[in-house]
Amino acid sequence: MKIIVDSMGGDNAPIEVIKGIVDAIKEYKIDIIVVGNEEVINRELNKYDYPKERIEILDAKDIITNEDDPALAIRRKKDSSMVVGLKALAEGKGDGFLSAGSTGALLAGGLFIVKRIRGIDRAALTTVYPTTNGMSLLVDAGANVDCKPEYLRQFGLMGSTYMENVLGRQNPKVGLVNIGTEVGKGNQLVKDSYYLLKESNMNFVGNIEARTLPQGEADVIVCDGFVGNIILKLTEGVAISFFSELKSIFTSNTKSKIGALLLKPRMKTLKNKMDYREYGGAPLLGIKKPVVKAHGSSDAYAIKNAIKQLVNFIEKDIINIIENEIND
Amino acid sequence: MKIIVDSMGGDNAPIEVIKGIVDAIKEYKIDIIVVGNEEVINRELNKYDYPKERIEILDAKDIITNEDDPALAIRRKKDSSMVVGLKALAEGKGDGFLSAGSTGALLAGGLFIVKRIRGIDRAALTTVYPTTNGMSLLVDAGANVDCKPEYLRQFGLMGSTYMENVLGRQNPKVGLVNIGTEVGKGNQLVKDSYYLLKESNMNFVGNIEARTLPQGEADVIVCDGFVGNIILKLTEGVAISFFSELKSIFTSNTKSKIGALLLKPRMKTLKNKMDYREYGGAPLLGIKKPVVKAHGSSDAYAIKNAIKQLVNFIEKDIINIIENEIND
């Protein structure tokens, strides 16, 4: 198996990305094509001791940044690490692609270069959503801000397939994000989507309220990309506020400081639960090849975990399963 | 000033509602019309010592519950405490109305019985959103799940007026909930709304991301009712999960128990910050008379605070200000 990795995308590229690649190659039975500026890559790789024959470099001098217009950048920055990597993927030079770079550009590149699976209307960004009893999968996390009911049905189907096969949740419960659990609740989009999801061949559990998402009420959370992005970012925002409030409580006086010290080991566990790095990356579902987006602020550990998820994605042949299910 | 209170709505009605009424009448210079089953009300009132001439009873034998279809209940349950109370309000028997009953029914009743302000397209449910530096105001919190850009402009205008005059925030910052801060981001609704809000006579600060809402980035949070309801409920859900995780950490072993004990007073402050009871009720903005919805699980303290907010709402003549601004 050969994985293509964009070494230039993300806040900590290339240093942490390349460290993650080296760690991954030691742990998993894979070869890696590293895309990016050859000199920079060689300089970083030279820091480590690793099986040289299993890492190949694909030179690309340009970089797509978060400031670039995604669609324009994919069209014009032909020599960027992301475009060169995605082209290599489309041409079959590798089995999957990983990038921690611009989400919008990766999505645009996935659509323009790798192309959609036949029968799929929209590709979706699919993110792990940490919950108190593990994790759920959120589809769509921000790729499609204006949706039709049929898209939401496909999100449910793709999410369900991924959750079962890659993340190992048997017969995953698919829930539709709504403002109430009763049938007939919600805006026009979710009202119409409800029936499509219900008639589909998946374990659809109906409407779910946002209040129950953090407790893992559904394994696969279906919503349009506008709502999905808000769910993701609001959860992060509330968590950040909480930890900052706790920090100010824990350091407010000597008594509190002692209390905090006694609680420290357990608090660490809670923080880890919320840590995106533990959960690998976010797959782009609906395109013809496996592509995973790693978090923009990924360190080496997060990159290694995202590579592991990509390996699973490829091994389980998810693209074929989705294609068969959607054209059933 | 005379306030009309539905004594039969809410999980703790009528006991806590009537206790709240008695507490409010001792604290504020108001008279109250209590609507509901006269016998039950008298039985409850007899528990307390209060200035009898300032409380009047308006008999209504029926009750609208959360199980009722809102619009149907308002049309058919003519003798319900909510319908009788709203009619008394519309006829000028009192200056404002408070209920902890069904939100949907209160909204339907507000529209059918009290009617919309001229120039306002949709009435909005407006809720206080607790933040780390105080609170913001969220409009719409769930009344209008499918919106047009003009509605969102009106939500901003009404929210801004209320925030400045009733909640005392000078020149409040109005933000539009979006998936990024850049102009041109978002779904069609928010893209179109952006320009309407920008051209309006309010302190519009542009798009705001959900991540920054808990830190109070905007004083007035504008969004459609579907997104607003999700923001409200997800924030609640994440907070519930957090406190339940903390609880299990705090009780996990002796060391942690001692730590928790040392932190207890400060933790209490954090919990209070998230407590809806501190913030009074949720005004219905856009109808011709002041109506406030108290939280369904309100106790006497929450009812008293909601009455206080209603008093402010009336004193500041918000309806007239909104009517003048919208028809300017």
Side-chain angles (χ1 to χ4, degrees), chain A residues 179 209 211 233 236, chain B residues 179 209 211 233 236 245:
Chain A
I179 61 169
E209 282 199 276
R211 196 196 312 261
K233 287 185 180 162
E236 205 178 324
Chain B
I179 61 169
E209 282 198 276
R211 193 197 313 262
K233 288 184 179 162
E236 205 176 324
E245 295 270 353

Side-chain angles (χ1 to χ4, degrees), chain B residues 190-239:
Chain B
V190 301
K191 277 187 201 168
D192 294 343
S193 304
Y194 183 92
Y195 294 101
L196 281 182
L197 282 155
K198 203 174 157 60
E199 285 158 15
S200 292
N201 186 22
M202 61 182 102
N203 183 15
F204 181 57
V205 297
N207 295 322
I208 45 167
E209 282 198 276
R211 193 197 313 262
T212 61
L213 295 179
Q215 294 140 53
E217 174 94 348
D219 299 311
V220 179
I221 304 165
V222 174
C223 54
D224 70 61
F226 190 82
V227 167
N229 197 268
I230 285 170
I231 288 172
L232 211 61
K233 288 184 179 162
L234 183 61
T235 303
E236 205 176 324
V238 177

Side-chain angles (χ1 to χ4, degrees), chain A residues 157-216:
Chain A
L157 196 145
M158 295 193 293
S160 179
T161 303
Y162 194 88
M163 191 63 171
E164 178 142 19
N165 294 283
V166 178
L167 302 174
R169 189 82 46 97
Q170 290 234 315
N171 197 27
K173 289 181 283 179
V174 178
L176 178 64
V177 178
N178 206 335
I179 61 169
T181 53
E182 306 90 330
V183 181
K185 276 266 180 184
N187 58 17
Q188 205 54 53
L189 173 67
V190 301
K191 278 187 201 167
D192 295 344
S193 303
Y194 183 92
Y195 295 100
L196 281 181
L197 282 154
K198 202 173 158 61
E199 285 158 15
S200 292
N201 186 23
M202 61 182 101
N203 183 15
F204 180 57
V205 296
N207 295 323
I208 45 167
E209 282 199 276
R211 196 196 312 261
T212 60
L213 295 178
Q215 294 139 52

Side-chain angles (χ1 to χ4, degrees), chain A residues 132 145-146 179 187-188 209-211 214 226 229 233-234 236-237 241 245 249-250 262-263 266 273, chain B residues 132 145-146 179 187-188 209-211 214 226 229 233-234 236-237 241 245 249-250 255 263 266 273:
Chain A
T132 44
V145 290
D146 287 295
I179 61 169
N187 58 17
Q188 205 54 53
E209 282 199 276
R211 196 196 312 261
F226 189 83
N229 197 269
K233 287 185 180 162
L234 184 61
E236 205 178 324
S241 287
E245 294 270 353
I249 289 173
F250 286 4
L262 292 167
L263 288 163
R266 298 274 169 167
K273 248 189 185 175
Chain B
T132 45
V145 291
D146 287 296
I179 61 169
N187 59 17
Q188 204 55 53
E209 282 198 276
R211 193 197 313 262
F226 190 82
N229 197 268
K233 288 184 179 162
L234 183 61
E236 205 176 324
S241 288
E245 295 270 353
I249 288 172
F250 286 5
K255 210 172 111 186
L263 289 163
R266 299 274 169 167
K273 249 190 185 174

